[in-house]
């Protein structure tokens, strides 16, 4: 019997390895992987490039009529084969991971009309199922009927160290304390915003991966996927 194609939602705090596990699972089972955070990061970059952010305040009056001008898509990079984020036809994969963008992404992703536009685009991408999407509100708002939902967490220090290692591997030097502060600030804004705050869906499975290797985590996730498929088949 063919395996049913399902929707897999992976939510959780920033830098807890969601995208690493989501990507590995998608590759393993031949599903599409979408990094929804990259979309909010791309909108943030657009705002910065257009001078729409002052401190932590976004000029929403100026941004609203420009929303139709923001085209985000994912394409494989010709050299590495890895998926890159494109903003209006420009490869912004590197730029959207910078501290400049990380520092402003929470206020931008708290804007209701930005969320409405991103959620609609994400739902369209998932229309045919066979998708793994990671983010903050995937199991609660984007795909509330996803067959498999995971909520990932890890301590703030573990997450900061992972982000520092990731940036250093790319040759970007950052201060550990600055990264911890950025993570704590984003956690706070993400959990307390009015629109789709970060929270575990009631039917999501909780995973604390503070003390887990990447291999153990990948295996854990594949097991949850197989379990879900079995339940659907019988
Ligand atoms: O996963 P990330 O750290 O790249 O996400 C960047 C920011 O985007 C994060 O601070 C919260 C926001 N975000 C969101 O509000 N909803 C999502 N589905 C994904 C990300």
């Amino acid at each position: 019997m063919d395996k049913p194609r399902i929707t897999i939602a992976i939510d959780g705090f920033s830098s807890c390895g969601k995208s690493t596990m989501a990507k590995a699972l998608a590759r393993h089972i031949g599903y599409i992987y979408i990094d929804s955070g990259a979309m909010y990061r791309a909108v943030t970059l657009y705002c910065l490039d257009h001078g729409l952010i002052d401190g932590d305040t976004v000029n929403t009056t100026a941004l609203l009529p420009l929303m139709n001008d923001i085209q985000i898509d994912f394409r494989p990079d010709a050299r590495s084969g890895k998926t890159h984020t494109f903003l209006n036809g420009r490869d912004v994969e590197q730029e959207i991971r910078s501290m400049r963008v990380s520092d402003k992404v929470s206020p931008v992703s708290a804007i209701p009309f930005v969320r409405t536009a991103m959620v609609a685009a994400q739902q369209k991408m998932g229309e045919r199922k066979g998708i793994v999407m990671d983010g903050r509100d995937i199991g609660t708002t984007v795909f509330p009927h996803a067959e498999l939902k995971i909520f990932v967490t890890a301590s703030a220090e573990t997450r900061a160290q992972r982000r520092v290692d990731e940036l250093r591997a790319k040759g970007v030097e950052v201060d550990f304390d600055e990264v911890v502060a950025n993570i704590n600030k984003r956690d706070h804004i993400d959990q307390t915003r009015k629109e789709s705050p970060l929270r575990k869906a009631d039917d999501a499975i909780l995973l604390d991966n503070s003390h887990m290797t990447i291999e153990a985590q990948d295996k854990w996730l594949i097991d949850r996927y197989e379990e879900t498929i079995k339940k659907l088949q019988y």
Side-chain angles (χ1 to χ4, degrees):
M1 194 203 305
D2 272 353
K3 282 186 175 174
R5 287 169 75 73
I6 63 169
T7 303
I8 302 173
I10 303 189
D11 288 305
F13 291 94
S14 59
S15 305
C16 48
K18 294 185 302 287
S19 65
T20 306
M21 64 195 283
K23 256 185 236 164
L25 177 66
R27 203 178 314 119
H28 187 78
I29 61 178
Y31 276 24
I32 294 170
Y33 161 67
I34 298 291
D35 172 0
S36 69
M39 300 171 70
Y40 291 96
R41 287 174 178 273
V43 177
T44 305
L45 179 62
Y46 181 94
C47 291
L48 285 164
D49 287 350
H50 288 76
L52 302 180
I53 305 183
D54 182 10
D56 272 347
T57 307
V58 186
N59 183 344
T60 49
T61 315
L63 176 60
L64 180 59
L66 293 172
M67 283 306 289
N68 284 336
D69 185 43
I70 305 179
Q71 300 298 331
I72 301 165
D73 58 276
F74 297 98
R75 304 180 202 167
D77 175 54
R79 259 181 301 163
S80 66
K82 287 187 179 162
T83 302
H84 281 196
T85 311
F86 281 71
L87 170 63
N88 292 339
R90 181 164 68 96
D91 185 340
V92 293
E93 187 58 33
Q94 284 271 84
E95 241 176 311
I96 59 167
R97 313 286 165 192
S98 65
M99 282 303 280
R100 174 175 171 252
V101 170
S102 297
D103 202 39
K104 306 293 177 196
V105 65
S106 280
V108 171
S109 53
I111 302 168
F113 65 76
V114 169
R115 299 208 69 83
T116 306
M118 295 304 110
V119 169
Q122 290 152 6
Q123 287 172 335
K124 200 157 170 34
M125 292 173 188
E127 259 170 1
R128 289 156 65 197
K129 297 193 171 243
I131 190 168
V132 183
M133 191 176 288
D134 74 352
R136 304 293 188 287
D137 60 341
I138 311 304
T140 51
T141 306
V142 181
F143 300 129
H145 303 298
E147 291 85 352
L148 176 59
K149 299 180 186 177
I150 310 289
F151 190 87
V152 195
T153 182
S155 71
E157 283 67 28
T158 304
R159 294 189 281 136
Q161 193 56 55
R162 287 177 186 163
R163 182 52 57 109
V164 168
D165 294 345
E166 192 179 286
L167 289 168
R168 281 198 185 140
K170 290 181 186 159
V172 184
E173 236 359 90
V174 280
D175 177 57
F176 180 81
D177 292 339
E178 194 191 331
V179 176
V180 175
N182 175 261
I183 283 181
N184 283 328
K185 179 179 155 196
R186 284 205 285 150
D187 283 356
H188 180 74
I189 303 181
D190 292 348
Q191 288 176 288
T192 55
R193 68 176 174 224
K194 273 210 202 96
E195 193 84 3
S196 292
L198 170 65
R199 67 167 186 86
K200 179 184 162 302
D202 294 337
D203 52 351
I205 306 169
L206 183 69
L207 170 69
D208 181 337
N209 67 6
S210 303
H211 305 291
M212 241 174 165
T213 61
I214 289 181
E215 293 72 27
Q217 163 181 296
D218 287 350
K219 180 174 179 319
W220 180 89
L221 187 56
I222 290 170
D223 289 348
R224 300 292 78 71
Y225 161 77
E226 296 291 355
E227 234 170 54
T228 308
I229 295 294
K230 260 197 203 125
K231 265 192 223 150
L232 289 171
Q233 282 177 327
Y234 295 106

